[in-house]
Amino acid sequence: MVDIRLHNTKTRTKDLFTPIDAANVRMYVCGPTVYDRAHIGNARPVVVFDTLFRLLRHVYGADHVTYVRNFTDVDDKINARAAEMAAAGDTRPLEAIIRTLTDETIGWYHADMDALGALRPTLEPRATEYIAQMIAMIAGLIASGHAYAADGHVLFDVRSYPNYGALSGRSVDDMIAGARVEVAPYKRDPMDFVLWKPSTDDLPGWDSPWGRGRPGWHIECSAMSYELLGASFDIHGGGIDLQFPHHENEIAQSCCAHPTADFARVWMHNEMLQVEGKKMSKSLGNFFTVRDLLDQDHPGEVIRFVMLSTHYSKPMDWTAEKAAQAKATLAKWYRATNGQKSAATVPDRVVEALADDLNGHMALLHLHDLFNRDLLSELRAGLEFLGFGTAEDKLWWKASPYVIGYTSSNGWQGDVTLLTQGLLAKLQNFRDQRDFASADKLRADLEDHGLKVRLTKTGPEIEKILPTFDPAKLEALK
């Protein structure tokens, strides 16, 4: 069995992953608040933890991995959007509007993430289905002295948990100095956070010992993870923007509710996403939803490729150039593997790359190598393993440049990608052997024969077909 090593935010080291129970590996990832389309930043953790889900299933068996990702369907943003719909003329009760809104948004989310090749998690709980469990956990925290009721609210007493701040590496006093916190007269400490808050008659609410109200955001994930995965489970994931306060608060309330348990053993956080080197923002005009990109002729697997090309722990920059390169590369691979039978096993080097803290960039480099060495059954198996599907399931690649029916000036018709595959592999082999003189000569010969070649980190590629291209003359170069 391959060893998996993952960077644990809690220990700040890359550790050997040893599950609590190899027959039931358990992972929880914070899901979306469902009031609008998912933007491409929202898609990054989906791709990251889908990749980890695939790796865990490969190593431990598909039936031995439980992946939970929730839907937050009770939230002030949802209430505000529903109120906008009511103001625009929807005459139904607010609860009915909210249900329609959240159902529709979950449908959008599934369709968009499916397009990225993401597997559905094992369980996708809605927060509103676990209100009773949240109330029970809150009551237990009050009974143990870790929470208190005040003015219809229930708040967690941060000072009652000495390890608060360990995940993000800050003390409570530092957090107060550096963060914007809600100042309220019912709080004992500025950092105390809401577990339950009152609802007015016009807002969604549930009966509780503290009056009609609704849960705070943080308690939702603690209650759902406990009910579905237990007091201790293996991995908790999400974007780095959730590290504080959401994950810090989850740890505090869960560890106080279940003091003999570990809660999550491994914490993983993906970094943020930029667009063309800038923070994504509507004011800059560089804000894109996943659906925007899909509608702009960026296939889901191209979006996935770009995301896997940067390590999840590093900031990722979405650029038009990266998308174009990813599309060209995938088109070559789909064309080459079309009709091929997958290898019986996933190539070891691809699995080992992911086992080294989800090194997707290295896994893609190995796919390039398989293509260059004409190991097409292994390439197909690697593509499937990484979530790119099969050539037969995709159609867009058939219209990609240099892939279908190129017609030269002398009437030759064919596939330039396949025609030159062996020559490009030969060129790369010269470079691997540091025989740069032979590599430069072959590259010059190819250009003399009408093919301009560019060198990239992942190997040589056809950059342009020149008017002088004569496929008949390529035979002499093989």
Side-chain angles (χ1 to χ4, degrees), residues 271-422:
E271 260 291 352
M272 304 299 284
L273 180 144
Q274 297 178 322
V275 176
E276 302 289 349
K278 298 179 180 179
K279 182 178 179 180
M280 186 170 64
S281 118
K282 291 181 179 178
S283 63
L284 293 175
N286 65 351
F287 181 92
F288 300 106
T289 67
V290 173
R291 180 51 49 183
D292 289 336
L293 293 180
L294 293 171
D295 290 345
Q296 292 167 13
D297 200 28
H298 293 292
E301 45 277 9
V302 169
I303 300 171
R304 186 182 186 93
F305 189 107
V306 174
M307 291 189 172
L308 287 179
S309 298
T310 300
H311 194 270
Y312 75 89
S313 66
K314 305 295 182 185
M316 196 208 97
D317 191 17
W318 171 273
T319 69
E321 181 182 3
K322 287 181 181 178
Q325 290 176 349
K327 193 171 187 179
T329 298
L330 281 170
K332 290 191 303 183
W333 292 352
Y334 286 138
R335 178 63 174 175
T337 57
N338 186 38
Q340 290 282 339
K341 184 178 179 180
S342 291
T345 59
V346 181
D348 289 343
R349 289 193 299 162
V350 176
V351 176
E352 290 164 1
L354 292 193
D356 183 17
D357 198 28
L358 296 186
N359 194 336
H361 176 68
M362 183 57 67
L364 293 174
L365 288 179
H366 291 320
L367 294 193
H368 278 284
D369 181 61
L370 293 170
F371 173 81
N372 287 335
R373 292 194 291 138
D374 207 23
L375 298 174
L376 302 183
S377 294
E378 289 83 351
L379 172 59
R380 183 180 173 110
L383 284 167
E384 293 180 43
F385 175 61
L386 290 176
F388 294 113
T390 63
E392 294 81 7
D393 293 332
K394 316 297 175 185
L395 298 175
W396 61 265
W397 60 267
K398 294 185 176 181
S400 183
Y402 313 150
V403 174
I404 61 164
Y406 173 82
T407 303
S408 69
S409 58
N410 64 5
W412 178 87
Q413 289 185 326
D415 185 334
V416 177
T417 300
L418 292 182
L419 182 68
T420 59
Q421 184 174 319

Side-chain angles (χ1 to χ4, degrees), residues 38-58:
H39 59 68
I40 56 173
N42 301 141
R44 194 178 191 196
V46 173
V47 172
V48 168
F49 292 103
D50 175 70
T51 305
L52 179 56
F53 185 36
R54 290 171 178 274
L55 174 65
L56 294 172
R57 285 162 55 96
H58 178 81

